[in-house]
Structure formats: structure tokens, C-alpha cells
Amino acid sequence: MNAPLTDSTAQQLAAHGVEALAEMEALYQATPLAQSDMHALRSWRPKATLYQRLKPLLALQAGSRIRQTIVDGHRLSYWEGGVHSATPVVLLHGFGASKENWGFLGAHLKRHYRLLAPDLPGFGDSQFDPDCDYDCATQADRVAEWLRSIGVQRAQLVGSSMGGAIAAQLAARHPALVAGLCLMNAAGVPGKRVSLLESGLAAGRNDLAPATRGQTPRVFQITLHHRQRWLGLMLSVLVAPEMSHRKPVNDFLFGHLVRSLIPTYQILGDISAPTLVLWGDSDQALDVTCVDAFCERIDQARAMVLPGVGHLPMLEVPALTARVLGDFWQSAKE
């Protein structure tokens, strides 16, 4: 648990955080990445890939079925599985990813929890509309609408990277829905050091949105620990056609994420749910020093840093991640 801060110290830290995020946003907006070709976006359509055909098998691994519904005018694809009568666990994926990122972790959680994992609107198999907003607050409201529509009154919430920023917004805006919150290598705060991802963005390169298949391995060099290079190579081969095809959409969505950072940072103090800040110590996308910023902003947050892990603990060490989450959820009951 983090020690309480005086009001003046908290205000100084908050002002510094907003300033750092504003500088980051200004650097991004000055690059070509911030420009969108709306004609290309309106004509963009998903295409069939091998990865698409394998998705039902990944759902089975996680003990889930693929379902669809309509949320805020978007067709929403999601996993539902595990034990229906057990505690609901809602898993929100990161930028450029999809619900399939939770397959390894879901395999460890499915015997004890009800699993719910959406493709966030605009991502994966959920609908994208270039005339809609995809900022984190709007996405959080969509997730809240979806949960209520399927009868979930209260759930444990886990958000990875961008999904962490959306989860934080959800916990602040819809507190009755959130029994506990895990921010896993989450976006929404500035670190004390510049990460490799942030360095690339400042130079006008988004390593999470490859333009070609050949650039896809870089995604996993940034997001996985170097010891996971074989997993990274396997994943890059699998998802390269889809990621490169989604390049214009991902650039558009990333701009909405960048514009969400300051509002997300500012609402962290409104979070009342028990919160675990979980990070890999070797994260090259969002530096591990972000842990301190989250704990400074969220009362009673606790932190755990996993050694030898990068940006995606649920892919790199799923058994350990499941154990840590289970311990956190159990301790929050006591």
C-alpha cells in the first residue's frame, strides 16, 4: 500500500504528471502518425486470414465461446466461458490486440471464474466506425453498457496496457460495477524514463502498428521479454497479415488513445475499488516506473513487479499471473 501524501505534494505530483503527458501528446501530434486518411478509413474492411480461422480454437483453450451483441451501435464480439455461477472476471486487451491475448491466462482461470473478454469496439472482430470516438472514457462506457446488458452487476476487472486505461476509467465512472481492479502494464501515467515505444513515437514511428508483415516482429521485441523470442516469432508469423492490414485503423485508434491519457490520469484519484498495479520489470513499451505514478494517484493501491517479464505477463507467465490475480482477489475479500 502506498503511504498517504499531503495535499500539496499530491497537487505537485499531479501537475507534473499532466505536464509530462501533455508534452508526450504534443510530440505525437507533431508527427505524421497523427494524420488520418478518412477516405481510406471509410473504405477499410476486415479480411480473412489464417489467424481468423484459428480464433475459435483459442476460445476453446480458454474454456469460452465466441458471442456477439450490439453495444452503442457497434457489433461487439466477446468470449464468455468458465464457471457461469462464479465471480465474473472481465479482461480488457491492449492496443492493437484482441480478446485472444487472454487465451493462455484464461486456460488457468476457467475452472474457478466466469470469464468475459471482449474485442473492444474498433479492435479484433468488433466493429470499427471511423465516425465514432474511441477515447478511453467512451470505451469504458461501452464496456459498462455491455456488462449490464448481459446481466453482470459486479466483476473483477483486469486491463492490459490500453485496456488498463479503459479499466481505470470504468472503475472511476462506474464504481458499482467494479469489485476489484488490476492495472496490468497499464497506459495512463507518465514513467520516469522514456521507453523504447515512446522514443519511437516521438520520432514518428509506432512500433505497435506495423505497416508491413516484415515489421511485425518488432511488435513482440518491444512487448515481450527477450527470453520469449520464440513465442514472439511464432506470434508475429501468425498475426502479421492482420496487423499490417489494420495499419490505418490502428493509427487512427492510437490517436484517440493518446488524447485519452491526460483525462485518464486525472480521474485516477476517483477510483475506490481495491487495486493491484501489476507490471513486468523489463517492459519496453511502458516503463516500470509507471507503477509509482499509479500508486501515487490511487489510494490504497498495491503493486507487484514480476522479474524477467515484459509488457504482456498474461502471455509470458500465464500461470504466475493467474496465481497473483487469485491471491489479490482473495485478499480483497478479507
Side-chain angles (χ1 to χ4, degrees):
M1 294 184 185
N2 47 311
L5 300 172
T6 65
D7 289 344
S8 61
T9 301
Q11 290 171 1
Q12 289 172 2
L13 289 170
H16 175 73
V18 169
E19 182 180 338
L21 291 172
E23 180 180 356
M24 188 186 310
E25 182 177 347
L27 286 171
Y28 177 82
Q29 294 296 341
T31 72
L33 292 171
Q35 307 303 316
S36 295
D37 182 343
M38 297 306 295
H39 176 74
L41 287 169
R42 291 192 175 98
S43 62
W44 182 88
R45 297 291 182 274
K47 72 174 184 179
T49 63
L50 173 62
Y51 183 49
Q52 288 283 347
R53 291 193 288 271
L54 291 175
K55 285 182 176 181
L57 296 178
L58 296 171
L60 287 175
Q61 176 193 9
S64 299
R65 293 183 178 180
I66 301 173
R67 303 193 183 280
Q68 292 192 348
T69 189
I70 301 296
V71 174
D72 189 29
H74 287 74
R75 182 187 66 257
L76 184 80
S77 177
Y78 67 97
W79 281 354
E80 183 172 19
V83 181
H84 192 272
S85 60
T87 301
V89 171
V90 178
L91 305 168
L92 303 182
H93 64 77
F95 174 79
S98 64
K99 60 188 180 300
E100 284 72 29
N101 264 31
W102 300 107
F104 294 169
L105 179 64
H108 291 277
L109 297 177
K110 64 185 179 182
R111 293 184 180 88
H112 304 289
Y113 304 97
R114 180 185 180 188
L115 301 182
L116 296 162
D119 280 336
L120 291 160
F123 295 89
D125 296 324
S126 289
Q127 188 174 349
F128 166 72
D129 182 342
D131 295 314
C132 288
D133 289 329
Y134 295 95
D135 60 89
C136 291
T138 302
Q139 294 283 61
D141 289 345
R142 289 176 179 140
V143 173
E145 179 185 337
W146 162 60
L147 291 175
R148 293 185 179 112
S149 74
I150 60 175
V152 174
Q153 297 179 345
R154 198 161 171 82
Q156 294 289 346
L157 189 59
V158 182
S160 164
S161 195
M162 175 196 72
I166 294 170
Q169 284 277 2
L170 181 60
R173 297 166 70 86
H174 305 275
L177 280 172
V178 181
L181 173 66
C182 176
L183 300 173
M184 185 184 296
N185 297 69
V189 299
K192 295 182 177 69
R193 296 186 294 256
V194 175
S195 70
L196 284 180
L197 173 64
E198 291 165 342
S199 176
L201 290 171
R205 184 186 69 251
N206 186 349
D207 289 319
L208 299 185
T212 67
R213 297 185 185 190
Q215 292 175 358
T216 307
R218 179 65 175 168
V219 175
F220 298 101
Q221 290 170 5
I222 289 284
T223 56
L224 299 178
H225 190 278
H226 65 85
R227 290 184 307 197
Q228 303 286 347
R229 60 185 178 277
W230 294 113
L231 174 62
L233 287 172
M234 180 186 71
L235 291 173
S236 64
V237 169
L238 189 61
V239 304
E242 184 162 330
M243 291 197 80
S244 58
H245 177 65
R246 289 187 63 90
K247 169 67 173 176
V249 173
N250 282 341
D251 281 345
F252 176 81
L253 294 170
F254 197 84
H256 288 235
L257 171 60
V258 170
R259 292 193 296 273
S260 298
L261 295 179
I262 292 176
T264 298
Y265 181 78
Q266 291 173 324
I267 57 85
L268 293 176
D270 296 335
I271 294 173
S272 57
T275 300
L276 173 66
V277 183
L278 182 64
W279 226 270
D281 71 343
S282 302
D283 192 344
Q284 299 181 86
L286 296 171
D287 192 76
V288 67
T289 56
C290 292
V291 170
D292 296 333
F294 274 116
C295 289
E296 288 163 357
R297 295 288 291 160
I298 303 174
D299 287 343
Q300 305 304 313
R302 64 185 72 176
M304 177 171 288
V305 176
L306 304 177
V309 176
H311 187 62
L312 301 172
M314 70 286 201
L315 286 177
E316 299 176 59
V317 285
L320 174 60
T321 303
R323 192 158 63 246
V324 169
L325 288 172
D327 289 346
F328 168 62
W329 295 331
Q330 182 60 38
S331 68
K333 292 180 181 178
E334 297 171 355

